[in-house]
Amino acid sequence: MISSIFLCHGGPTLVVEKNDYTDFLKDLGKKLTPEAIVIFTAHWESEITTISSLNNTYDMIYDFYGFPKELYSIRYPAKGSLEVAVKLQSMLRTNGIESKLDENRGLDHGAWDVLYLMYPKADIPIVQVSINPFFAMEKQYEIGRDIRDLGKEDILVIGSGSTVHNLATVNWNSEKAEGWAVEFDDWLIEKVENNDKETLFNYRQLAPYAKRAVPREEHIVPMFIAMGSGNRDKPKLLHQSYAYGTLSYICFEF
């Protein structure tokens, strides 16, 4: 059985950076060797949960602007899996979660940014899934819980987003983490490690600096989905670091 994980995918430049977090991701990919990957990405929003269902190689989506030209030439030739997509949709349907298949959408940087570092050979089938940031956190958790059995088939569920994600506070010249960002993350970490789901569901009212850290919820949603799909009795923090003052790099194993 394989666990689920939540990853912060950072900025698009992550794939060409060299730091503690990129080293961690490369090492993590060597430790986790799934048969397939289902990745919920903060960069694909839809009202109805939408599942990539192509069998051939994904096109690339460069959903960012004003970054170095080399990033727009990055290729990650991963293939999809219709079989896993249909399995996932069946699990959701059984539990009353509406979903639909999409055989055309490419991989966005919320997916390929981390997969490029973890699995550079692009030899593991990928199924990309959208999120709805307007669902309550309890609902996000339920979506994850409904697909928990994927882990029994060695299918890794990844939630790809961020905890602290306020681009207005990013300082591209800073190498020191801002105290308020760390305080918010430390609060999350404590609640996650203690499986305090009810408090986490209400993080926006209870966590310090929550509205500053999470001005819009699309990037934290994948954490709750990964939490629901986990098979560990006790969640575990695998990594914590920061870039550009407030950009959080956290990984949980659920």
Side-chain angles (χ1 to χ4, degrees), residues 13 17 169-174 176 242-247 249:
T13 56
E17 292 175 356
T169 68
V170 167
N171 181 349
W172 298 106
N173 298 311
S174 176
K176 182 180 179 181
Y242 296 85
Y244 313 119
T246 65
L247 198 58
Y249 291 151

Side-chain angles (χ1 to χ4, degrees), residues 33-138:
T33 55
E35 294 295 321
I37 293 171
V38 169
I39 184 164
F40 289 81
T41 167
H43 285 259
W44 187 9
E45 297 181 34
S46 62
E47 184 177 354
I48 298 171
T49 300
T50 308
I51 304 164
S52 292
S53 59
L54 78 170
N55 259 332
N56 54 343
T57 302
Y58 282 99
D59 291 330
M60 298 289 286
I61 299 178
Y62 304 100
D63 48 343
F64 45 84
Y65 305 94
F67 285 87
K69 289 183 178 179
E70 64 178 313
L71 295 178
Y72 301 92
S73 63
I74 295 285
R75 296 288 183 271
Y76 189 72
K79 292 186 176 181
S81 171
L82 177 59
E83 179 184 356
V84 174
V86 170
K87 184 190 301 289
L88 175 61
Q89 185 179 44
S90 177
M91 286 180 169
L92 292 173
R93 183 187 299 117
T94 298
N95 290 285
I97 302 294
E98 184 180 6
S99 66
K100 61 182 181 180
L101 301 179
D102 183 325
E103 60 181 17
N104 297 311
R105 194 177 191 277
L107 283 181
D108 61 58
H109 104 260
W112 60 256
D113 218 19
V114 288
L115 295 175
Y116 183 93
L117 294 168
M118 292 176 69
Y119 304 107
K121 293 181 180 179
D123 55 355
I124 299 174
I126 307 297
V127 172
Q128 187 175 240
V129 191
S130 72
I131 57 102
N132 183 335
F134 301 106
F135 287 159
M137 295 305 114
E138 293 93 334

Side-chain angles (χ1 to χ4, degrees), residues 3-9 25 28 32 34 36-42 110-111 114-115 118-119 126-129 131 147 150 155-161 222-223 225-227 229 251-252:
S3 304
S4 68
I5 57 174
F6 168 71
L7 296 173
C8 292
H9 57 245
L25 289 174
L28 184 63
L32 296 176
I37 293 171
V38 169
I39 184 164
F40 289 81
T41 167
V114 288
L115 295 175
M118 292 176 69
Y119 304 107
I126 307 297
V127 172
Q128 187 175 240
V129 191
I131 57 102
I147 62 171
L150 288 175
I155 297 173
L156 175 65
V157 175
I158 298 177
S160 175
M223 185 189 81
I225 296 173
M227 186 190 311
S229 60
C251 177
F252 289 116

